[in-house]
Amino acid sequence: MSRDRPGAYRLFLAAGPVARDAHGAYVITDATAAGHVLRHPELFSSARAFETLGSPFPIVPLASDPPEHTRYRKILAPFFGARGTARWLPEVRALAGQLIDRFIARGSCDVVAEFAEPLPAQVFLTLFGLPLQDRDRLIAWKEALLSAVGISGAEPPPDEVIVLAAELYEYLTGHIAGRRGQPGDDVLTSLLAGAGDPQMSDEEILGLSFVFVLAGLDTVTSALSTAFAALAADGELRRAITADPGVIPAAVEELLRSDGPVVTVPRVATRDVEVAGTLIPAGSYVAVAIGAANHDPAQFADPAAVNLGRGGRHLAFGGGPHLCLGAHLARLEMRVALEEWHARIPEYRLAPATDATAGWPAALVGYDHLWLEFGPLRHDPPSPAVRETETE
């Protein structure tokens, strides 16, 4: 997993469509079975699947099932649907350009620390009305909590995780109280003002804030880190998207399929159920290995190859009712990041002696650091030949 994800996913798939992990959880590996599990929350519940995080409140909307989950999605859709996220396009584009301007003349950068991390983190903090100066503190909490999440969620939470979760909740409780007294132009203010019908309770808003800290500060960073590693190694693909920025949305989908940040998503079986000929008893932990499913050769010819003609079909954002709420925003951030980068820096490569090793085991797969060298450079970037609207 740290050096050869396609090889690791072949091992997943070789174990069969349903395998067992060291904690007794059932790991779903192939695309057909994974899609089935994700589409049936009445059989495979999310409500109990995130207990490892030690949250004292429901983690909204992840740790819920329909009909509660449906209500949450209805309330949040105006903020995170295609139309709601499109309003962030100018800000994301401006921020991407500003970040690149800081290092472009140097001819090298750590693309993770200097671009892939600050871009989505600042967008998220602004979106949720959290202070930009608290980014490092929130990332430290997030990394400590997510490091405790195993492949399936079957592992019991360590005591220190429960303590860290309590610390994060204390921070968020104070922030929510402050937002009531000093509202802003952000999602949290809108929810506190009663957006949605029915409205979310204070506990639900707190649980939502918790999950957004865990998911909003890391996932796109990891996805961009593996995307830039793949592009740095593939001159043909790199030149294709530089020559025609219109293919970047397809490139985003294919890069997410081939090396997305989320390896597994957890569920719990609500009853005895058979999957691909294997009986899964009620109450069993189930890990849907979406990374492996995205490399299933029965669904994807030559799955290790990045092929822009595949059409964007994958499970990188999950599937079914729990399809990632932030998928539109993640796509926008990745698309704009690649557009702005390749308009300014069309050629780049891994710096000599760069160790492109992803941290593993981890909740998300990605690189902590990735040094690139670049040239020739475009210091005065042309206007990207793309529409300035969200197209999802």
Side-chain angles (χ1 to χ4, degrees), residues 12-177:
F12 270 75
L13 291 158
V18 183
R20 302 291 296 279
D21 77 357
H23 298 273
Y26 291 80
V27 183
I28 313 299
T29 66
D30 78 3
T32 300
H36 173 76
V37 171
L38 294 172
R39 288 193 302 271
H40 291 282
E42 75 281 4
L43 299 176
F44 302 96
S45 169
S46 290
R48 287 181 48 202
F50 292 90
E51 294 175 352
T52 305
L53 292 176
S55 169
F57 299 109
I59 303 177
V60 174
L62 284 181
S64 63
D65 296 312
E68 292 82 7
H69 179 264
T70 305
R71 178 174 73 89
Y72 296 142
R73 297 288 292 225
K74 182 179 178 182
I75 293 171
L76 297 169
F79 305 106
F80 297 102
R83 185 173 299 177
T85 56
R87 73 185 185 96
W88 291 95
L89 179 60
E91 184 165 339
V92 175
R93 193 174 296 288
L95 177 58
Q98 291 165 13
L99 292 170
I100 293 169
D101 286 344
R102 294 176 185 175
F103 54 73
I104 189 171
R106 199 169 69 221
S108 66
C109 74
D110 178 350
V111 72
V112 178
E114 298 181 75
F115 189 61
E117 185 175 276
L119 177 66
Q122 184 162 327
V123 171
F124 162 74
L125 292 170
T126 303
L127 175 72
F128 229 66
L130 292 163
L132 297 180
Q133 63 268 27
D134 288 353
R135 187 191 76 178
D136 291 343
R137 184 182 181 193
L138 288 162
I139 287 175
W141 266 321
K142 175 267 303 176
E143 288 178 347
L145 286 166
L146 289 182
S147 67
V149 179
I151 192 172
S152 64
E155 301 89 327
D159 290 343
E160 58 267 27
V161 169
I162 296 174
V163 172
L164 287 168
E167 290 177 0
L168 178 54
Y169 270 115
E170 183 178 0
Y171 168 88
L172 291 171
T173 299
H175 177 69
I176 289 170

Side-chain angles (χ1 to χ4, degrees), residues 100-366:
I100 293 169
D101 286 344
R102 294 176 185 175
F103 54 73
I104 189 171
R106 199 169 69 221
S108 66
C109 74
D110 178 350
V111 72
V112 178
E114 298 181 75
F115 189 61
E117 185 175 276
L119 177 66
Q122 184 162 327
V123 171
F124 162 74
L125 292 170
T126 303
L127 175 72
F128 229 66
L130 292 163
L132 297 180
Q133 63 268 27
D134 288 353
R135 187 191 76 178
D136 291 343
R137 184 182 181 193
L138 288 162
I139 287 175
W141 266 321
K142 175 267 303 176
E143 288 178 347
L145 286 166
L146 289 182
S147 67
V149 179
I151 192 172
S152 64
E155 301 89 327
D159 290 343
E160 58 267 27
V161 169
I162 296 174
V163 172
L164 287 168
E167 290 177 0
L168 178 54
Y169 270 115
E170 183 178 0
Y171 168 88
L172 291 171
T173 299
H175 177 69
I176 289 170
R179 221 53 184 157
R180 286 190 184 281
Q182 189 174 0
D185 181 21
D186 53 71
V187 172
L188 185 58
T189 295
S190 296
L191 294 174
L192 291 171
D197 183 20
Q199 299 174 11
M200 295 179 71
S201 69
D202 284 1
E203 285 192 356
E204 289 170 334
I205 293 174
L206 187 57
L208 176 71
S209 303
F210 183 87
V211 76
F212 267 73
V213 167
L214 299 186
L217 284 171
D218 192 282
T219 324
V220 175
T221 293
S222 296
L224 283 172
S225 76
T226 54
F228 274 104
L231 288 163
D234 189 335
E236 183 178 351
L237 177 62
R238 190 170 64 246
R239 287 186 287 274
I241 66 175
T242 299
D244 180 10
V247 305
I248 287 178
V252 167
E253 300 303 322
E254 179 64 354
L255 290 165
L256 285 168
R257 181 206 63 81
S258 65
D259 202 4
V262 180
V263 178
T264 63
V265 293
R267 297 289 187 267
V268 174
T270 62
R271 66 189 79 165
D272 292 354
V273 59
E274 185 176 305
V275 176
T278 297
L279 179 65
I280 299 178
S284 298
Y285 282 89
V286 176
V288 185
I290 59 176
N294 281 333
H295 281 251
D296 184 350
Q299 297 286 335
F300 306 100
D302 192 10
V306 177
N307 180 353
L308 301 188
R310 292 191 196 273
R313 179 172 51 89
H314 58 73
L315 293 173
F317 290 114
H322 280 277
L323 184 72
C324 176
L325 181 66
H328 288 294
L329 182 59
R331 285 181 167 117
L332 182 147
E333 290 173 337
M334 291 190 68
R335 174 172 65 81
V336 171
L338 294 183
E339 287 170 2
E340 291 298 311
W341 179 281
H342 290 90
R344 297 162 188 256
I345 306 175
E347 285 295 330
Y348 52 95
R349 58 201 166 274
L350 290 176
T354 295
D355 182 17
T357 302
W360 190 261
L364 300 172
V365 66

